[in-house]
């Protein structure tokens, strides 16, 4: 099934899902997802994601990266004494477990099954308290033990006595020294003695100036104090190691609980990522049932925004004898997009993920088998037709009465008569195996076959004959016309060529071309390049049902993603940072948005942002709310308030400069 997953861009959905995760383990799990065959597992995951969606609507879960804790856990089993930083990471991990447990307790009424994960978390409060008591930042705190506190006081006192002794020498003999201060060389406190005074001050020369005129000397009277301080330092380091070893042993004793905590947080991170994906594409839980029934209403392809897609309605296999649908219609009309939408949504539903539609009923299939795109390969010496045949061989090998088969431009790439014969034979062979079929074609003989063969149904992509524009709407029950000559005329092909083509295919006359130029269309045509549906049909390109453009006024090309409108004050999710922020400046001409995250500002392309909460949901009376409270500094706001009342001498208002980083 792997080639079909790639053709249907299932991996692109998994990448979007992985972008919502916070932990490495959850990301790896997201990228490794595959459709399930167990109905119980499918329904359980779909229900958990539904509950996670309800929790997200109520409050954002306290998730963050577990990278530090994940790196420290394997070391505990090896008997390694952890560093203060590693112990701090484990402490932060326990703190995160406690916050998540409290969050799940608050959400028990909204999502009782998912909130039960909190019962499996062990925050280990005593161990967390011990870490917080013993460590400050990356250092062991003086309060970690009475012995450490005493040793550090003694060493500090020895250092003070050394410094006092040196300063007394400076005061007593100022003419001996180049400078009147104590300095440090190679970790020792020394005095900058003039070379000619070397015999006047017994001690050890630690260093000398570049010219040799100054000697940095540790006086003999200070050496004994330094040795005392060095001994105290050794004792202090031993005590620090003892404390770190004790904390490490305490964590090592709780390794099973820590691993369980990590597994629970990974599972929750994965489920909340699935919920975020569902929210982003307008998903709903899908019904997956045994049998052959496939019913989609208001379905959209998840890789393009909802507002630029025409919903798809399709029904197949509702009666036992129903086998397949043959879709015909004009080029650029959305036939390939229809197949990709059905196939991808079937895969998502069987993975347990939500699907973007109003209603979705899917059969439990063993394979989704595809022949999409031309598959031409110079490296493998494959022509377009050869690639199609290779896929047919694989499809026939794997196909069963529980398979869904998607065939695009069936029989193309070779002699039309032979291609039509092969296409008909393929449909008959797959129908004999009992598979569910969706196929697109331009052959009129295939339309006749679908009309006359029990179990098959014709369908067409709607086309507006007035504007010569595709409507990207699937209509079941009737065959469509390819409209090749009309589309060629619309795209500006020479009238003489069109007339000769009409004569050769015995088509009715197309009528004179308007003197003003090309036939009227619903919107401006690009000077060159593929139509939206053609681009969508190519492997690797995002596909969806672009909306049918209105006859007037001119509309943007269908299938072109619209720019996301982020208003100042909106909360957005910044994918590179895996954090939410507030829009400080709307998108410029390049589509770059300035977002404030914590106390920093970043310039982020709007494609790397996802809507989180509109400002109307964040602030009371959003239209009149003073957003400077959120976006400006306290000092600026105080200065502005004073300046509004009266002139303030020396008042300064700082204008935010360029954002600190471009993501």
């Amino acid at each position: 099934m792997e080639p079909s997953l790639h053709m249907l861009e299932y991996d692109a959905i998994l990448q979007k899902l992985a972008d919502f995760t916070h932990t490495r383990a959850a990301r790896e799990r997201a990228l490794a997802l595959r459709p399930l065959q167990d109905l119980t597992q499918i329904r359980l995951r779909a229900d958990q994601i539904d509950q996670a969606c309800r929790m997200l609507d109520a409050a954002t879960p306290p998730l963050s990266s577990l990278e530090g804790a994940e790196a420290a856990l394997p070391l505990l089993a090896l008997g390694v004494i952890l560093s203060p930083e590693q112990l701090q990471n484990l402490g932060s991990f326990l703190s995160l477990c406690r916050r998540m447990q409290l969050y799940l307790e608050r959400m028990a009424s909204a999502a009782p099954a998912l909130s039960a994960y909190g019962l499996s978390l062990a925050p280990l409060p005593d161990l967390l308290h011990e870490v917080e008591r013993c460590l400050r930042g990356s250092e062991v705190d003086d309060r970690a033990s009475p012995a450490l506190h005493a040793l550090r006081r003694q060493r500090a006192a020895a250092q003070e006595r050394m410094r006092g002794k040196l300063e007394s020498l400076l005061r007593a003999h100022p003419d001996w020294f180049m400078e009147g201060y104590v300095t440090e060389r190679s970790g020792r406190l020394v005095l900058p003695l003039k070379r000619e005074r070397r015999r006047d001050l017994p001690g050890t020369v630690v260093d000398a100036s570049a010219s040799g005129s100054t000697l940095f000397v540790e006086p003999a009277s200070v050496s004994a104090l330094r040795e005392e301080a060095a001994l105290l330092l050794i004792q202090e380091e031993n005590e620090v190691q003892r404390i770190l070893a004790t904390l490490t042993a305490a964590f090592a004793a709780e390794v099973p609980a820590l691993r369980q905590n990590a597994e629970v947080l990974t599972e929750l991170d994965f489920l909340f990522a699935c919920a975020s994906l569902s929210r982003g594409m307008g998903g709903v839980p899908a019904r997956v049932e045994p049998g052959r029934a496939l019913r989609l209403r208001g379905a959209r392809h998840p890789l393009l925004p909802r507002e630029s897609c025409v919903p798809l309605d399709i029904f197949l296999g509702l009666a036992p004898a129903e086998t397949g649908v043959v879709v015909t219609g004009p080029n650029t009309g959305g036939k390939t997009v229809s197949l990709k939408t059905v196939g991808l949504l079937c895969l998502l539903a069987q993975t347990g993920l939500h699907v973007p539609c109003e209603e979705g009923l899917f059969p439990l299939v063993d394979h989704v088998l595809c022949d999409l795109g031309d598959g031409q390969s110079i490296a493998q010496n494959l022509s377009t037709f050869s690639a199609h045949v290779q896929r047919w061989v694989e499809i026939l090998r794997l196909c069963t009465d529980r398979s869904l088969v998607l065939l695009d431009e069936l029989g193309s790439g070779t002699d039309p008569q032979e291609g039509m014969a092969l296409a008909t034979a393929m449909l008959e062979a797959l129908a004999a195996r009992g598979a569910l079929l969706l196929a697109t074609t331009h052959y009129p003989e295939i339309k006749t076959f679908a009309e006359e063969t029990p179990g098959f149904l014709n369908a067409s992509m709607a086309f507006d004959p007035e504007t010569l524009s595709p409507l990207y709407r699937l209509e079941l029950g009737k065959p469509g016309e390819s409209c090749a000559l009309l589309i060629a005329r619309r795209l500006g092909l020479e009238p003489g060529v069109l007339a000769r083509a009409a004569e050769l295919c015995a088509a009715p006359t197309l009528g004179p071309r308007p003197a003003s130029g090309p036939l009227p269309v619903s919107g401006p045509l690009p000077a060159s390049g593929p139509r939206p549906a053609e681009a969508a049909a190519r492997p690797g390109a995002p596909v969806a049902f672009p909306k049918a453009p209105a006859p007037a006024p001119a509309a943007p090309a269908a299938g072109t993603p619209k720019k996301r409108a982020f208003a100042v004050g909106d909360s957005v999710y910044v994918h590179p940072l895996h954090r939410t922020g507030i829009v400080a400046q709307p998108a410029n001409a390049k589509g770059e948005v300035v977002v404030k995250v914590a106390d920093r500002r970043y310039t982020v392309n709007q494609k790397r942002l996802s809507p989180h909460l509109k400002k109307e949901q964040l602030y009371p009376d959003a239209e009149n709310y003073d957003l400077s409270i959120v976006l400006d500094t306290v000092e600026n706001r105080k200065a502005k308030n004073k300046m509004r009342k009266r002139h303030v001498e020396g008042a300064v208002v700082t204008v935010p400069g360029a954002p600190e980083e471009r993501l």
Side-chain angles (χ1 to χ4, degrees):
M1 192 187 286
E2 290 298 325
S4 295
L5 297 181
H6 180 69
M7 290 180 201
L8 293 171
E9 298 176 283
Y10 180 79
D11 49 353
I13 298 296
L14 298 189
Q15 185 60 57
K16 287 173 67 72
L17 174 61
D19 290 341
F20 284 110
T21 61
H22 296 78
T23 63
R24 177 183 54 80
R27 180 179 180 84
E28 291 175 353
R29 180 176 175 185
L31 293 174
L33 276 181
R34 289 297 180 268
L36 302 168
Q37 293 294 320
D38 188 325
L39 271 177
T40 302
Q41 293 182 16
I42 294 170
R43 291 167 179 169
L44 175 62
R45 181 177 291 168
D47 180 62
Q48 288 178 327
I49 295 171
D50 192 43
Q51 294 192 46
C53 287
R54 295 201 294 272
M55 295 170 75
L56 277 181
D57 291 340
T60 303
L63 288 166
S64 62
S65 172
L66 304 181
E67 184 176 352
E70 289 173 334
L73 277 174
L75 299 177
L76 293 173
L78 301 176
V80 177
I81 297 178
L82 300 184
S83 67
E85 292 87 352
Q86 292 168 327
L87 291 167
Q88 278 280 31
N89 288 334
L90 290 175
S92 299
F93 171 59
L94 292 179
S95 178
L96 175 62
C97 292
R98 180 56 183 159
R99 295 198 306 274
M100 179 58 75
Q101 193 175 58
L102 294 173
Y103 172 83
L104 294 174
E105 289 174 1
R106 293 199 306 271
M107 297 295 158
S109 58
L114 199 59
S115 297
Y117 276 99
L119 302 175
S120 300
L121 288 171
L124 306 175
D126 294 339
L127 185 52
L128 175 59
H129 173 73
E130 193 67 10
V131 171
E132 292 174 342
R133 184 184 69 83
C134 294
L135 302 177
R136 284 291 180 274
S138 60
E139 300 290 337
V140 177
D141 193 80
D142 292 353
R143 299 174 300 171
S145 74
L148 181 63
H149 183 63
L151 287 168
R152 285 181 173 172
R153 286 185 59 190
Q154 293 172 27
R155 191 165 68 87
Q159 291 281 355
E160 282 301 313
R161 290 198 299 273
M162 290 168 59
R163 188 172 289 277
K165 176 72 72 175
L166 294 170
E167 289 175 348
S168 67
L169 285 171
L170 284 172
R171 291 193 298 271
H173 307 284
D175 56 321
W176 291 5
F177 306 102
M178 295 293 290
E179 303 288 347
Y181 57 83
V182 178
T183 186
E184 186 174 339
R185 288 291 188 276
S186 302
R188 298 186 183 187
L189 293 176
V190 293
L191 295 175
L193 184 69
K194 296 177 181 177
R195 176 174 285 276
E196 58 269 22
R197 292 288 186 174
R198 175 67 185 90
R199 293 184 179 181
D200 296 331
L201 183 64
T204 303
V205 177
V206 177
D207 199 358
S209 65
S211 64
S213 60
T214 303
L215 303 177
F216 296 96
V217 178
E218 180 188 69
S221 57
V222 174
S223 296
L225 293 174
R226 177 181 58 76
E227 291 173 359
E228 178 187 346
L231 179 60
L232 290 170
L233 177 61
I234 292 172
Q235 294 174 347
E236 176 189 332
E237 290 174 347
N238 289 339
E239 180 64 13
V240 166
Q241 286 300 305
R242 186 193 68 78
I243 293 167
L244 294 178
T246 302
L247 286 174
T248 300
F251 274 107
E254 300 291 351
V255 164
L258 294 173
R259 292 194 185 281
Q260 179 172 303
N261 286 347
E263 291 172 1
V264 171
L265 289 181
T266 296
E267 178 70 16
L268 290 170
D269 185 22
F270 169 75
L271 292 174
F272 282 118
C274 293
S276 298
L277 177 69
S278 173
R279 283 290 177 261
M281 65 184 183
V284 299
R287 286 177 55 202
V288 181
E289 302 288 350
R292 297 164 52 81
L294 171 66
R295 180 170 66 242
L296 292 177
R297 186 166 60 84
R300 301 176 306 275
H301 197 286
L303 290 180
L304 284 181
R306 285 172 276 175
E307 59 271 16
S308 62
C309 300
V310 174
L312 166 70
D313 295 341
I314 188 168
F315 310 95
L316 178 62
L318 299 183
E322 287 184 353
T323 297
V325 173
V326 173
V327 184
T328 51
N331 292 317
T332 76
K335 298 189 300 298
T336 303
V337 177
S338 304
L339 269 61
K340 285 191 172 184
T341 302
V342 172
L344 180 56
L345 266 56
C346 186
L347 292 173
L348 296 183
Q350 204 157 314
T351 307
L353 300 176
H354 287 186
V355 294
C357 64
E358 297 174 14
E359 179 188 2
L361 171 63
F362 298 88
L364 182 66
V365 301
D366 57 0
H367 294 100
V368 177
L369 303 170
C370 302
D371 178 20
L372 302 170
D374 62 25
Q376 190 178 72
S377 172
I378 295 175
Q380 298 180 30
N381 195 27
L382 286 178
S383 67
T384 298
F385 181 68
S386 300
H388 282 305
V389 172
Q390 284 198 355
R391 292 175 189 164
W392 297 350
V393 170
E394 188 69 8
I395 288 171
L396 291 172
R397 184 179 69 83
L398 297 174
C399 179
T400 71
D401 60 352
R402 292 182 51 235
S403 300
L404 173 64
V405 181
L406 308 173
L407 303 171
D408 189 31
E409 301 292 354
L410 187 58
S412 64
T414 187
D415 175 81
Q417 191 65 27
E418 294 181 351
M420 179 276 298
L422 281 169
T424 304
M426 276 292 295
L427 292 178
E428 290 175 344
L430 293 169
R433 286 168 167 80
L436 283 176
L437 289 166
L438 275 173
T440 70
T441 185
H442 288 287
Y443 291 129
E445 294 86 350
I446 302 299
K447 304 176 192 178
T448 304
F449 169 83
E451 185 175 349
E452 296 176 350
T453 305
F456 279 89
L457 182 67
N458 270 311
S460 62
M461 303 306 300
F463 187 78
D464 188 338
E466 298 296 327
T467 63
L468 305 183
S469 301
L471 300 179
Y472 306 106
R473 185 177 66 247
L474 182 67
E475 297 180 344
L476 293 171
K478 62 178 183 179
E481 299 295 332
S482 296
C483 305
L485 300 184
L486 291 175
I487 292 173
R489 178 177 180 178
R490 172 192 171 194
L491 296 176
L493 190 62
E494 292 182 6
V497 176
L498 286 171
R500 177 57 178 158
E503 177 185 340
L504 291 173
C505 67
T509 180
L510 297 174
R513 179 174 178 171
S516 58
L519 286 173
V521 293
S522 58
L525 286 175
S528 62
R531 294 288 298 160
E534 291 174 340
R538 295 177 178 172
V543 291
F545 279 117
K547 280 187 176 177
T560 303
K562 296 183 178 179
K563 289 186 177 179
R564 303 173 186 174
F566 297 114
V568 174
D570 286 353
S571 175
V572 295
Y573 186 84
V574 185
H575 292 283
L577 299 177
H578 299 293
R579 297 184 64 181
T580 56
I582 300 296
V583 175
Q585 294 179 23
N588 59 20
K590 297 180 179 179
E592 296 175 332
V593 181
V594 176
V595 181
K596 182 180 179 185
V597 180
D599 294 327
R600 295 170 62 90
R601 289 177 178 240
Y602 300 88
T603 297
V604 192
N605 190 289
Q606 60 187 354
K607 295 179 181 178
R608 310 186 81 182
L609 302 175
S610 292
H612 181 229
L613 291 172
K614 301 293 288 184
K615 65 179 180 181
E616 289 78 9
Q617 299 172 263
L618 292 172
Y619 318 112
D621 189 15
E623 291 298 324
N624 301 314
Y625 188 76
D626 183 9
L627 286 173
S628 67
I629 297 173
V630 180
L631 301 175
D632 212 347
T633 63
V634 175
E635 294 76 10
N636 270 3
R637 287 191 284 110
K638 287 182 178 179
K640 288 177 181 177
N641 286 335
K642 290 180 181 178
M643 293 170 69
R644 287 192 192 101
K645 298 175 183 177
R646 64 184 185 280
H647 174 71
V648 180
E649 188 69 31
V652 176
V653 176
T654 303
V655 178
E660 300 182 34
E661 189 173 344
R662 185 178 299 272
L663 299 178

